[in-house]
Amino acid sequence: MKELQAAGFVVCTKTQNEAGRWSTHVAVFDRPQTGEPKSESPQVGERRCRSFGSNPKGKNQEKNPTPTPVEEVEDAPAAEVEGGQEDSHQEQEQATAEAVTVLARVGQADRRLRLGVAEMLRLAPLAAQWVARGATEAEIRDALISGLPAQVARPAAIVEWRLTHKMPAEPAAPVAPLAECGQCKAPLPRGQEAGICSGCAGVAKVAKVAKNQVSTPSATADEAGSLLAAIRDRRATGTFAPKARPYSFIPAAA
């Protein structure tokens, strides 16, 4: 109640009537009232009654309009966004904690790579990327420890360089299996999710027959023979092109 009064949503006014009796008037508002409450006592007037359920008409109705339900609807998406941000923040904190644990265990395995808390927190995002790409703790430890010099002056710099330049590639996206033909169960071409193959549809057979009809060995031999005969006739009659080779250069077997 005190918080509502301090915020201006509830205004309590004490008054005294002519008989000396005190009373407290409590006014509740939809919007905070910044003005000071009136201190003078109201005049006693005639008692008036109204029917139940009718809206009072006065200054308070204009100053304090009834809020529409739209304001309540707008709060729902905001709550969902805040919930999603909290979930992502928790996942990020968990990944950072796992990466710090990995770096701490690397320092336990090799004293030359012992890091401070601030250094591990700074390098945790790089180690988290290794974990996100499928690297195990043993793989990270081997990549950081293998081939170290006898003395390490700056372990944080070495760990940062190796985490950056030896980072594994991102895993390839899984390839979806090919769909099967509805009749012969043969794999369909990639991109076709349902139906039958070209063999069951008869397209491959028609194309094969047309190909055999167009380019048969006998047709190719006849075309080559007619072409050579035309060349011999032109050279025999002397109507061949200038700078052409003599007729004797053509093999007899041809």
Side-chain angles (χ1 to χ4, degrees):
M1 189 67 176
K2 292 181 180 180
E3 293 178 358
L4 292 175
Q5 292 180 7
F9 289 97
V10 176
V11 177
C12 299
T13 306
K14 292 185 178 181
T15 58
Q16 187 178 16
N17 57 10
E18 296 177 355
R21 298 182 60 181
W22 287 89
S23 60
T24 302
H25 297 272
V26 181
V28 182
F29 300 92
D30 296 329
R31 295 182 180 180
Q33 303 297 310
T34 57
E36 297 293 336
K38 297 181 180 180
S39 59
E40 65 271 7
S41 302
Q43 300 294 331
V44 180
E46 297 180 359
R47 182 177 180 182
R48 292 180 296 177
C49 61
R50 61 183 177 86
S51 60
F52 181 78
S54 60
N55 295 326
K57 296 182 179 180
K59 296 182 179 180
N60 290 338
Q61 185 179 3
E62 298 177 358
K63 294 182 179 179
N64 304 299
T66 304
T68 58
V70 178
E71 299 179 358
E72 299 179 358
V73 176
E74 292 178 354
D75 294 338
E80 295 177 359
V81 172
E82 292 178 359
Q85 293 178 353
E86 291 179 0
D87 295 341
S88 61
H89 185 65
Q90 291 178 358
E91 293 178 357
Q92 184 178 3
E93 289 183 351
Q94 184 178 358
T96 302
E98 294 178 357
V100 170
T101 303
V102 172
L103 294 177
R105 291 177 179 175
V106 170
Q108 294 175 359
D110 195 325
R111 298 175 59 89
R112 293 172 295 179
L113 294 182
R114 283 192 173 183
L115 304 176
V117 177
E119 294 173 339
M120 287 190 292
L121 291 174
R122 181 174 62 85
L123 298 176
L126 290 175
Q129 293 183 18
W130 280 64
V131 176
R133 296 186 180 188
T136 61
E137 182 178 347
E139 293 175 350
I140 297 176
R141 182 176 62 251
D142 295 341
L144 296 178
I145 295 178
S146 61
L148 284 177
Q151 295 181 356
V152 177
R154 300 174 59 188
I158 292 180
V159 172
E160 183 178 3
W161 190 92
R162 292 195 172 191
L163 287 177
T164 303
H165 293 81
K166 291 186 176 183
M167 183 174 297
E170 296 183 1
V175 180
L178 298 176
E180 295 182 353
C181 175
Q183 294 183 3
C184 65
K185 303 301 180 181
L188 296 176
R190 188 166 300 278
Q192 183 178 353
E193 299 180 356
I196 58 177
C197 62
S198 58
C200 296
V203 178
K205 296 180 180 179
V206 174
K208 185 176 181 180
V209 171
K211 184 177 180 181
N212 294 334
Q213 291 178 354
V214 173
S215 59
T216 57
S218 58
T220 305
D222 295 342
E223 184 178 359
S226 61
L227 181 61
L228 288 175
I231 293 174
R232 289 192 183 95
D233 294 341
R234 287 189 179 184
R235 295 202 175 195
T237 57
T239 58
F240 49 86
K243 298 182 180 181
R245 291 184 179 184
Y247 177 73
S248 59
F249 280 91
I250 300 177

